[in-house]
Amino acid sequence: MRNMFIFALLISVAGGAVISDLAVVPEEGNTKLIIKSDAPFVASTFTLKDPARIVVDCSGVSSALVGKTFPVNAGGIKELAVTGFSEQPDLIRVVGKLDRDYSFLTSTVDNDFVVTLLTGSSAFPEWLASASTAIPTAPAPTTPPVTPTPKPAATITGRPISIDLENADILTVLRALSEYAGVNIVAGKDVKGTVTVRLHNIPWRQALEIILKASGYAYREDPGVIRVDTAENLDKQDYDLPTTSKIYKLEFADPRKLLNKVQAMLSPKGKANVDIRTNSIVVTEVQPIHDKIKQLVRLLDTPTPQVEIMAKVVDIDVSASRGLGIDWTLKGLESRIVRADIASNVNPTIAGYGVFNVGTVPSLAQINATINILEENGKAHTISAPRVTAVDNEKARVLGGQRFGFPTRDMSGNTVIQFYTVGTKLEVTPHINSLEEVTMEIHAEVSELDKASALAGRPIVTTSEADTKVLVKDGNTVVIGGFIRKKKTKSVHGIPILKSIPILGALFRETTTSIEDRELLIFLTPTIIRH
């Protein structure tokens, strides 16, 4: 009883934190909403639409800002409102009205809670609630409204508590947590020892996890009870349960690819097989393992995004290619979080040396008209313009060229035909991120057959390859250049009929040989397919 009394004195409901101010500051193109406090506190964040809002619920706090609304009009935030709840005085809600819906990140810096809105906005002056004029907020509701239920895997719930213990018996600690949280906790016979811990203002579930992890124990949560024991004992208890067979029918995923992930979760008595006909996985397991597999299938059996990749290969005069307005330093290729600034050689090099340029244009349509004019003047020629649809994270291949066969002899002296494929080969693997931008892993290969060597029966194929990985916004165009070759053109001018006379015709004709540098430009435009 004495230990329980001491423990009850050491555990207190968090409520001492005071929110003193709100700040809106710019940082690298994004917007930070900082909730300033004199002590750490628990916060949950979510967004609402129609109109777009960011909501931060702060638990175990108080503030003189409650009941006030502040016009902000900076960094994508129109205004900030602070409200409280009469039935839960230690809960404060900060609502930011936004000009549109944004993705966000959260973090804790010292005692402050920080929400980073990925606005991609330009710099603006720092804003403080303490330096602004407030307008009255609508009366606080009597009870907190229902908020979206967070995903269980990313949320730790429970009333916030503070704990300061030294060499406390772990069974006593678990008993006190059970009474404090109003839950049933059952400890196994192997749970024993003492624990020293100091925690401030965290949810009781997180406190339970920290204490058990520090003591080398784990827990399982069944309906109405939390079981605490060693991880090995908990697994054995699960394995002693009767097995049942269930069919997990997949809508999008390939069961053969998912099978190894399911098998990694099985107990020693579990089995899993694939049924190709119904696109399903049949699992025989105990119920706790079935619960894990069900959650795994729900997370992985989702529609796979697709990307349509429009490719265009253009053979163009080198001097003309420099007038297309291509940004060869990728300065325009930016993400709201990650910025790419890939340096490349300004002057393209001769094909075959493996040095190439990577650039970008906002849209291929902006330079299509210029390319068409160059084609009319003989300065450019579109070799191919294929389209291919690729699944996210899967490689797509495009090959445009010719295939030549040359007779040769094998080891036995027999004549066989050996084929050579020359032209342009592209391999692209797209990766779509949460900002709907596309990272493309690109392998480009340009090959050319030496005609003189082909006539001599010893074909020589000159090949240039380029490998790069670039981040591009949906609908923008990546340009790969630097594949340059010299084109030799021979033209004959003279007097008709007379120039064709053998021997004497040389007196009536003139042969001109011109050499020009030609560059092969490869345009790749990824577009995310939206159903």
Side-chain angles (χ1 to χ4, degrees):
M1 291 297 295
R2 182 175 179 274
N3 288 338
M4 287 292 294
F5 177 74
I6 295 175
F7 187 78
L9 290 177
L10 292 173
I11 297 183
S12 60
V13 179
V18 176
I19 295 177
S20 58
D21 205 352
L22 303 176
V24 178
V25 298
E27 184 183 78
E28 297 182 356
N30 298 318
T31 300
K32 279 192 171 184
L33 168 59
I34 304 174
I35 302 176
K36 298 187 176 184
S37 173
D38 63 349
F41 60 91
V42 178
S44 62
T45 309
F46 57 92
T47 58
L48 297 174
K49 296 182 179 180
D50 301 325
R53 287 158 290 168
I54 183 80
V55 181
V56 184
D57 281 343
C58 309
S59 301
V61 297
S62 61
S63 178
L65 301 176
V66 173
K68 296 180 180 180
T69 298
F70 301 91
V72 179
N73 297 318
I77 301 177
K78 294 182 178 179
E79 65 179 30
L80 289 173
V82 184
T83 59
F85 303 97
S86 58
E87 291 192 0
Q88 195 169 343
D90 64 342
L91 175 64
I92 291 178
R93 171 167 290 182
V94 179
V95 180
K97 189 175 180 181
L98 311 178
D99 56 7
R100 65 182 181 87
D101 191 27
Y102 294 111
S103 299
F104 67 91
L105 306 170
T106 62
S107 60
T108 301
V109 180
D110 296 327
N111 296 329
D112 301 337
F113 186 76
V114 181
V115 180
T116 302
L117 296 172
L118 307 181
T119 57
S121 59
S122 56
F124 56 88
E126 180 177 340
W127 179 91
L128 290 173
S130 57
S132 304
T133 303
I135 58 178
T137 303
T142 57
T143 58
V146 178
T147 59
T149 303
K151 296 180 180 179
T155 304
I156 299 175
T157 59
R159 294 168 57 196
I161 65 174
S162 296
I163 304 175
D164 191 354
L165 300 171
E166 183 175 357
N167 294 327
D169 181 69
I170 190 169
L171 294 176
T172 304
V173 173
L174 293 176
R175 191 179 305 116
L177 279 174
S178 173
E179 293 182 4
Y180 175 82
V183 297
N184 298 317
I185 299 179
V186 178
K189 58 184 176 71
D190 292 333
V191 178
K192 53 190 173 182
T194 60
V195 60
T196 299
V197 62
R198 183 175 183 178
L199 303 172
H200 179 70
N201 197 17
I202 66 172
W204 70 264
R205 283 184 182 273
Q206 187 178 5
L208 176 63
E209 292 180 2
I210 293 172
I211 291 171
L212 293 180
K213 187 174 182 180
S215 304
Y217 298 112
Y219 75 95
R220 293 276 198 279
E221 189 165 358
D222 296 330
V225 65
I226 296 176
R227 292 183 290 132
V228 176
D229 211 325
T230 63
E232 183 179 359
N233 288 345
L234 288 173
D235 289 339
K236 288 180 180 178
Q237 293 173 25
D238 291 341
Y239 300 159
D240 290 338
L241 298 174
T243 60
T244 57
S245 296
K246 293 187 178 182
I247 299 175
Y248 296 90
K249 184 173 178 58
L250 306 179
E251 295 186 45
F252 309 101
D254 186 339
R256 290 166 294 187
K257 294 182 179 180
L258 195 59
L259 179 62
N260 61 335
K261 297 178 177 62
V262 171
Q263 289 176 334
M265 304 177 68
L266 298 178
S267 68
K269 60 195 301 185
K271 294 183 294 183
N273 296 289
V274 170
D275 184 60
I276 299 297
R277 186 182 65 85
T278 60
N279 204 57
S280 304
I281 299 178
V282 182
V283 180
T284 301
E285 256 299 357
V286 296
Q287 187 56 43
I289 304 299
H290 274 304
D291 294 338
K292 295 180 181 178
I293 294 174
K294 182 179 179 181
Q295 183 179 6
L296 175 72
V297 171
R298 185 173 65 250
L299 292 174
L300 298 183
D301 186 30
T302 57
T304 304
Q306 299 183 84
V307 179
E308 181 190 47
I309 301 174
M310 182 178 69
K312 187 168 187 176
V313 182
V314 180
D315 180 31
I316 191 169
D317 183 85
V318 170
S319 59
S321 69
R322 294 172 183 170
L324 292 179
I326 300 170
D327 180 7
W328 288 116
T329 60
L330 291 184
K331 289 180 180 177
L333 187 60
E334 293 186 352
S335 161
R336 280 174 287 177
I337 297 179
V338 182
R339 288 175 172 76
D341 190 0
I342 304 172
S344 58
N345 44 304
V346 177
N347 297 316
T349 55
I350 301 300
Y353 287 85
V355 181
F356 61 96
N357 292 327
V358 179
T360 181
V361 290
S363 173
L364 184 58
Q366 295 183 0
I367 60 174
N368 255 340
T370 305
I371 293 176
N372 292 337
I373 294 174
L374 292 174
E375 287 182 336
E376 293 176 1
N377 296 329
K379 295 290 186 179
H381 171 63
T382 299
I383 297 175
S384 62
R387 292 172 179 259
V388 63
T389 299
V391 176
D392 188 27
N393 301 317
E394 296 288 343
K395 183 182 295 184
R397 294 182 177 88
V398 177
L399 176 62
Q402 295 176 311
R403 200 177 188 198
F404 298 89
F406 293 93
T408 184
R409 295 185 181 276
D410 60 13
M411 298 294 293
S412 302
N414 300 318
T415 301
V416 294
I417 302 298
Q418 186 165 353
F419 291 92
Y420 298 86
T421 302
V422 297
T424 305
K425 176 182 178 183
L426 294 173
E427 293 182 353
V428 183
T429 304
H431 307 280
I432 304 173
N433 64 23
S434 60
L435 300 177
E436 294 193 339
E437 298 166 331
V438 182
T439 299
M440 292 195 296
E441 296 181 17
I442 304 171
H443 172 78
E445 182 179 314
V446 178
S447 56
E448 190 174 45
L449 177 68
D450 183 76
K451 295 182 179 179
S453 65
L455 294 175
R458 297 185 299 274
I460 298 176
V461 177
T462 303
T463 302
S464 298
E465 297 184 16
D467 288 280
T468 185
K469 185 175 182 179
V470 294
L471 176 67
V472 61
K473 294 180 180 179
D474 181 23
N476 280 18
T477 299
V478 173
V479 188
I480 303 176
F483 300 107
I484 295 180
R485 70 187 189 283
K486 293 186 180 296
K487 183 179 179 181
K488 186 176 181 180
T489 305
K490 182 182 293 186
S491 58
V492 179
H493 305 278
I495 301 175
I497 302 176
L498 296 179
K499 68 177 181 179
S500 303
I501 300 175
I503 304 175
L504 293 177
L507 300 174
F508 303 98
R509 66 174 180 264
E510 179 184 6
T511 302
T512 304
T513 301
S514 61
I515 299 176
E516 62 177 342
D517 289 336
R518 306 288 293 185
E519 180 174 8
L520 203 66
L521 295 180
I522 302 172
F523 300 86
L524 295 174
T525 306
T527 304
I528 300 174
I529 298 176
R530 295 172 174 84
H531 299 284

CSV table of all heavy atoms in Angstrom, one decimal, residues 171-196:
chain,number,residue,atom,x,y,z
A,171,LEU,N,5.6,-4.7,-11.2
A,171,LEU,CA,4.2,-5.2,-11.0
A,171,LEU,C,3.4,-4.0,-10.4
A,171,LEU,O,2.2,-3.8,-10.8
A,171,LEU,CB,4.1,-6.4,-10.2
A,171,LEU,CG,4.7,-7.7,-10.8
A,171,LEU,CD1,4.7,-8.8,-9.8
A,171,LEU,CD2,4.0,-8.1,-12.1
A,172,THR,N,4.0,-3.3,-9.5
A,172,THR,CA,3.3,-2.2,-8.9
A,172,THR,C,3.0,-1.1,-9.9
A,172,THR,O,2.0,-0.4,-9.9
A,172,THR,CB,4.1,-1.6,-7.7
A,172,THR,OG1,4.4,-2.6,-6.8
A,172,THR,CG2,3.4,-0.5,-7.0
A,173,VAL,N,4.0,-0.9,-10.8
A,173,VAL,CA,3.9,0.2,-11.8
A,173,VAL,C,2.7,-0.2,-12.8
A,173,VAL,O,1.9,0.6,-13.1
A,173,VAL,CB,5.2,0.3,-12.6
A,173,VAL,CG1,5.0,1.2,-13.8
A,173,VAL,CG2,6.3,0.8,-11.7
A,174,LEU,N,2.7,-1.5,-13.2
A,174,LEU,CA,1.6,-1.9,-14.1
A,174,LEU,C,0.2,-1.8,-13.4
A,174,LEU,O,-0.8,-1.5,-14.1
A,174,LEU,CB,1.9,-3.4,-14.5
A,174,LEU,CG,3.1,-3.6,-15.4
A,174,LEU,CD1,3.3,-5.1,-15.7
A,174,LEU,CD2,3.0,-2.8,-16.7
A,175,ARG,N,0.2,-2.1,-12.1
A,175,ARG,CA,-1.1,-2.1,-11.4
A,175,ARG,C,-1.6,-0.6,-11.4
A,175,ARG,O,-2.8,-0.3,-11.5
A,175,ARG,CB,-1.0,-2.6,-10.0
A,175,ARG,CG,-2.3,-2.8,-9.3
A,175,ARG,CD,-2.1,-3.4,-7.9
A,175,ARG,NE,-1.4,-4.7,-7.9
A,175,ARG,CZ,-0.2,-4.9,-7.4
A,175,ARG,NH1,0.4,-3.9,-6.8
A,175,ARG,NH2,0.4,-6.0,-7.5
A,176,ALA,N,-0.7,0.3,-11.1
A,176,ALA,CA,-1.0,1.7,-11.0
A,176,ALA,C,-1.5,2.3,-12.4
A,176,ALA,O,-2.4,3.0,-12.5
A,176,ALA,CB,0.1,2.5,-10.5
A,177,LEU,N,-0.8,1.8,-13.5
A,177,LEU,CA,-1.1,2.3,-14.8
A,177,LEU,C,-2.5,1.7,-15.2
A,177,LEU,O,-3.3,2.4,-15.8
A,177,LEU,CB,-0.1,1.8,-15.8
A,177,LEU,CG,1.2,2.6,-16.0
A,177,LEU,CD1,2.1,1.9,-16.9
A,177,LEU,CD2,0.8,4.0,-16.6
A,178,SER,N,-2.8,0.5,-14.7
A,178,SER,CA,-4.1,-0.1,-15.0
A,178,SER,C,-5.2,0.7,-14.3
A,178,SER,O,-6.3,1.0,-14.9
A,178,SER,CB,-4.2,-1.5,-14.4
A,178,SER,OG,-5.5,-2.1,-14.5
A,179,GLU,N,-5.0,1.2,-13.1
A,179,GLU,CA,-6.0,2.0,-12.4
A,179,GLU,C,-6.1,3.4,-13.0
A,179,GLU,O,-7.2,3.9,-13.2
A,179,GLU,CB,-5.7,2.1,-10.9
A,179,GLU,CG,-5.8,0.8,-10.1
A,179,GLU,CD,-5.5,0.9,-8.7
A,179,GLU,OE1,-5.3,2.1,-8.2
A,179,GLU,OE2,-5.4,-0.1,-8.0
A,180,TYR,N,-5.0,3.9,-13.4
A,180,TYR,CA,-5.0,5.3,-14.0
A,180,TYR,C,-5.7,5.3,-15.3
A,180,TYR,O,-6.5,6.2,-15.6
A,180,TYR,CB,-3.5,5.8,-14.1
A,180,TYR,CG,-3.4,7.1,-14.8
A,180,TYR,CD1,-3.6,8.3,-14.1
A,180,TYR,CD2,-3.1,7.2,-16.2
A,180,TYR,CE1,-3.5,9.5,-14.7
A,180,TYR,CE2,-3.0,8.4,-16.8
A,180,TYR,CZ,-3.2,9.6,-16.1
A,180,TYR,OH,-3.1,10.8,-16.7
A,181,ALA,N,-5.4,4.3,-16.2
A,181,ALA,CA,-6.0,4.3,-17.5
A,181,ALA,C,-7.4,3.7,-17.6
A,181,ALA,O,-8.1,3.8,-18.6
A,181,ALA,CB,-5.1,3.6,-18.5
A,182,GLY,N,-7.8,2.9,-16.5
A,182,GLY,CA,-9.1,2.3,-16.6
A,182,GLY,C,-9.1,1.1,-17.5
A,182,GLY,O,-10.1,0.8,-18.1
A,183,VAL,N,-8.0,0.3,-17.6
A,183,VAL,CA,-7.9,-0.8,-18.4
A,183,VAL,C,-7.4,-2.0,-17.6
A,183,VAL,O,-6.9,-1.9,-16.5
A,183,VAL,CB,-6.9,-0.6,-19.6
A,183,VAL,CG1,-7.4,0.5,-20.5
A,183,VAL,CG2,-5.5,-0.3,-19.1
A,184,ASN,N,-7.7,-3.2,-18.1
A,184,ASN,CA,-7.3,-4.5,-17.5
A,184,ASN,C,-5.9,-4.9,-18.0
A,184,ASN,O,-5.7,-5.0,-19.2
A,184,ASN,CB,-8.3,-5.6,-17.8
A,184,ASN,CG,-9.6,-5.3,-17.2
A,184,ASN,OD1,-9.7,-4.8,-16.1
A,184,ASN,ND2,-10.7,-5.5,-18.0
A,185,ILE,N,-4.9,-5.0,-17.1
A,185,ILE,CA,-3.6,-5.4,-17.5
A,185,ILE,C,-3.3,-6.7,-16.7
A,185,ILE,O,-3.3,-6.7,-15.5
A,185,ILE,CB,-2.5,-4.3,-17.1
A,185,ILE,CG1,-2.8,-3.1,-17.9
A,185,ILE,CG2,-1.1,-4.8,-17.4
A,185,ILE,CD1,-1.8,-1.9,-17.7
A,186,VAL,N,-2.9,-7.8,-17.4
A,186,VAL,CA,-2.6,-9.1,-16.8
A,186,VAL,C,-1.1,-9.4,-17.1
A,186,VAL,O,-0.7,-9.4,-18.3
A,186,VAL,CB,-3.5,-10.2,-17.4
A,186,VAL,CG1,-3.1,-11.5,-16.8
A,186,VAL,CG2,-4.9,-9.9,-17.2
A,187,ALA,N,-0.3,-9.5,-16.0
A,187,ALA,CA,1.1,-9.8,-16.2
A,187,ALA,C,1.4,-11.3,-16.0
A,187,ALA,O,0.8,-12.0,-15.2
A,187,ALA,CB,1.9,-9.0,-15.1
A,188,GLY,N,2.3,-11.8,-16.8
A,188,GLY,CA,2.6,-13.2,-16.8
A,188,GLY,C,3.5,-13.5,-15.6
A,188,GLY,O,4.1,-12.6,-14.9
A,189,LYS,N,3.7,-14.8,-15.3
A,189,LYS,CA,4.5,-15.2,-14.1
A,189,LYS,C,6.0,-14.9,-14.2
A,189,LYS,O,6.6,-14.8,-13.2
A,189,LYS,CB,4.3,-16.7,-13.9
A,189,LYS,CG,4.8,-17.6,-15.0
A,189,LYS,CD,4.5,-19.1,-14.7
A,189,LYS,CE,4.8,-20.0,-15.8
A,189,LYS,NZ,6.2,-20.1,-16.1
A,190,ASP,N,6.4,-14.6,-15.4
A,190,ASP,CA,7.9,-14.3,-15.6
A,190,ASP,C,8.1,-12.8,-15.5
A,190,ASP,O,9.3,-12.3,-15.7
A,190,ASP,CB,8.4,-14.8,-16.9
A,190,ASP,CG,8.4,-16.3,-17.0
A,190,ASP,OD1,8.6,-16.9,-15.9
A,190,ASP,OD2,8.3,-16.9,-18.1
A,191,VAL,N,7.1,-12.0,-15.3
A,191,VAL,CA,7.2,-10.5,-15.3
A,191,VAL,C,7.6,-10.2,-13.8
A,191,VAL,O,6.9,-10.3,-12.9
A,191,VAL,CB,5.9,-9.8,-15.7
A,191,VAL,CG1,6.1,-8.3,-15.5
A,191,VAL,CG2,5.6,-10.2,-17.1
A,192,LYS,N,8.9,-9.7,-13.7
A,192,LYS,CA,9.3,-9.3,-12.3
A,192,LYS,C,10.5,-8.3,-12.5
A,192,LYS,O,11.1,-8.2,-13.6
A,192,LYS,CB,9.7,-10.5,-11.5
A,192,LYS,CG,10.7,-11.4,-12.2
A,192,LYS,CD,10.8,-12.7,-11.4
A,192,LYS,CE,11.7,-13.7,-12.2
A,192,LYS,NZ,11.8,-15.0,-11.5
A,193,GLY,N,10.9,-7.7,-11.4
A,193,GLY,CA,12.1,-6.8,-11.4
A,193,GLY,C,11.6,-5.4,-11.1
A,193,GLY,O,10.5,-5.1,-10.7
A,194,THR,N,12.6,-4.4,-11.2
A,194,THR,CA,12.3,-3.0,-10.9
A,194,THR,C,12.6,-2.2,-12.1
A,194,THR,O,13.3,-2.6,-13.1
A,194,THR,CB,13.2,-2.6,-9.7
A,194,THR,OG1,14.6,-2.7,-10.1
A,194,THR,CG2,12.9,-3.4,-8.5
A,195,VAL,N,12.1,-1.0,-12.1
A,195,VAL,CA,12.3,-0.1,-13.2
A,195,VAL,C,12.5,1.4,-12.7
A,195,VAL,O,11.9,1.8,-11.7
A,195,VAL,CB,11.1,-0.1,-14.2
A,195,VAL,CG1,9.8,0.3,-13.4
A,195,VAL,CG2,11.3,0.8,-15.4
A,196,THR,N,13.5,2.1,-13.3
A,196,THR,CA,13.7,3.5,-13.0
A,196,THR,C,13.4,4.3,-14.3
A,196,THR,O,14.0,4.0,-15.3
A,196,THR,CB,15.2,3.7,-12.6
A,196,THR,OG1,15.4,2.9,-11.4
A,196,THR,CG2,15.5,5.2,-12.3
